[in-house]
Amino acid sequence: MPLAGGRERRVRTGGVELCVAEWGDPATQPTVVLVHGYPDSKEVWSEVAGRLTERFHVVLYDVRGHGGSTAPRPLRGGFTLEKLTDDFLAVVDAVSPDRPVHLVGHDWGSVQAWEFTTVERTRGRIASFTSMSGPSLDHFGHWIKKRVSRPTPRKVGQLLGQGAKSWYVYLLHTPALPELAWRGPLGKQWPKILRRLEKVPAGGYPTSSLPRDAANGAWLYRDNIRPRLGRPRDDAYAHAPVQLITPLGDAYLSERLYDELEQWAPQLVRRTLP
């Protein structure tokens, strides 16, 4: 579904085609790239994009396997952080080849954007990174190891608390069950659930591709969670300024996950919002 007033293009990368939408002038305005989470598509950013277009060249893209972007074949192994980084670089090379971009990620968009901001091959391509509700899996892995290796009642409580919040992650690792749920009753009911719980108005979001997108996107978890939490990188330092936006009352992520973030992001600004 084209977003109002935007220009759409296709970007090929690693056997998939990404659907990219743009507003504004890349020659005269700084570029901001907004990366959506799970189980979303680029349309989740439509209202935010509308507020930014007067000041920025705004870029949205559907993550591989979501929205107007094609899915890798096979799905297994097609959603690794390395391949998602390939996609990001292909997009920014297409939309802003000569200048670094301001990067914004929410949920899984933020998880993958932490990868973009901490790997060497993206150095110089990112002017800043704004993270919302999605930690680095490497930082999360070290957070867990620190609490397991030196347990105290407080640290054990933090682990148990986050474990309870992550209940859905375990379900997404179950073979076939998430796909059946999303392509069946859950996918049909999701728009009503969003209207009731998140006060999302009926209309252009979520798009009709949601059941397929959510089924495909289960591989974001399967391809990355266990490998990275079990073997987190030791060099996952941000090479761009980071703005961390922490929403109070997040149902899925504890604020404690970010307690030691300064050691990984030397140029860190924190903002806590209701």
Side-chain angles (χ1 to χ4, degrees):
M1 175 195 298
L3 290 160
R7 311 180 298 277
E8 282 199 356
R9 68 162 90 185
R10 312 289 293 182
V11 173
R12 291 191 62 81
T13 166
V16 302
E17 276 196 354
L18 303 177
C19 183
V20 181
E22 299 175 70
W23 293 259
D25 183 359
T28 61
Q29 295 173 301
T31 298
V32 58
V33 178
L34 304 161
V35 188
H36 69 79
Y38 175 85
D40 296 320
S41 62
K42 65 182 180 302
E43 281 75 16
V44 76
W45 290 114
S46 57
E47 291 188 30
V48 175
R51 294 178 182 226
L52 296 175
T53 50
E54 288 187 7
R55 293 181 292 137
F56 292 94
H57 168 222
V58 179
V59 177
L60 319 177
Y61 69 94
D62 287 319
V63 171
R64 55 173 52 209
H66 296 71
S69 296
T70 61
R73 290 290 179 262
L75 293 172
R76 180 192 295 272
F79 290 85
T80 63
L81 289 171
E82 291 79 8
K83 291 179 179 177
L84 296 170
T85 305
D86 293 340
D87 294 352
F88 168 72
L89 284 171
V91 170
V92 297
D93 285 347
V95 302
S96 185
D98 302 318
R99 292 194 297 173
V101 303
H102 296 281
L103 174 62
V104 181
H106 171 253
D107 185 75
W108 256 97
S110 178
V111 172
Q112 60 184 289
W114 273 110
E115 179 80 357
F116 309 159
T117 310
T118 58
V119 293
E120 190 61 29
R121 62 189 172 122
T122 60
R123 186 179 292 273
R125 303 298 285 122
I126 299 170
S128 71
F129 168 40
T130 295
S131 167
M132 291 179 280
S133 296
S136 159
L137 294 184
D138 296 303
H139 303 164
F140 192 3
H142 285 291
W143 185 89
I144 292 171
K145 282 189 171 184
K146 186 172 181 179
R147 281 151 183 77
V148 170
S149 62
R150 298 180 217 163
T152 64
R154 182 174 64 87
K155 290 178 180 178
V156 170
Q158 291 175 359
L159 280 170
L160 292 175
Q162 181 55 54
K165 285 176 177 281
S166 297
W167 58 269
Y168 62 98
V169 176
Y170 316 128
L171 291 178
L172 285 165
H173 279 83
T174 306
L177 181 62
E179 287 87 342
L180 290 171
W182 281 117
R183 293 182 186 276
L186 184 57
K188 293 175 183 175
Q189 292 300 316
W190 195 248
K192 295 178 183 178
I193 293 170
L194 288 179
R195 286 198 292 273
R196 186 173 71 250
L197 297 182
E198 304 287 350
K199 308 297 185 287
V200 174
Y205 183 82
T207 66
S208 60
S209 65
L210 168 77
R212 182 199 68 211
D213 299 347
N216 289 340
W219 286 99
L220 290 165
Y221 293 83
R222 295 166 180 166
D223 279 350
N224 296 293
I225 294 288
R226 287 176 179 167
R228 281 301 177 91
L229 294 189
R231 296 183 300 277
R233 293 164 48 216
D234 292 325
D235 61 348
Y237 298 100
H239 48 64
V242 175
Q243 175 179 225
L244 175 71
I245 296 179
T246 307
L248 295 174
D250 191 317
Y252 305 107
L253 293 170
S254 166
E255 294 172 56
R256 302 279 69 80
L257 284 179
Y258 308 106
D259 281 351
E260 292 103 26
L261 192 55
E262 281 81 1
Q263 77 177 85
W264 300 107
Q267 302 176 74
L268 179 68
V269 173
R270 292 174 180 259
R271 303 189 192 281
T272 301
L273 300 175

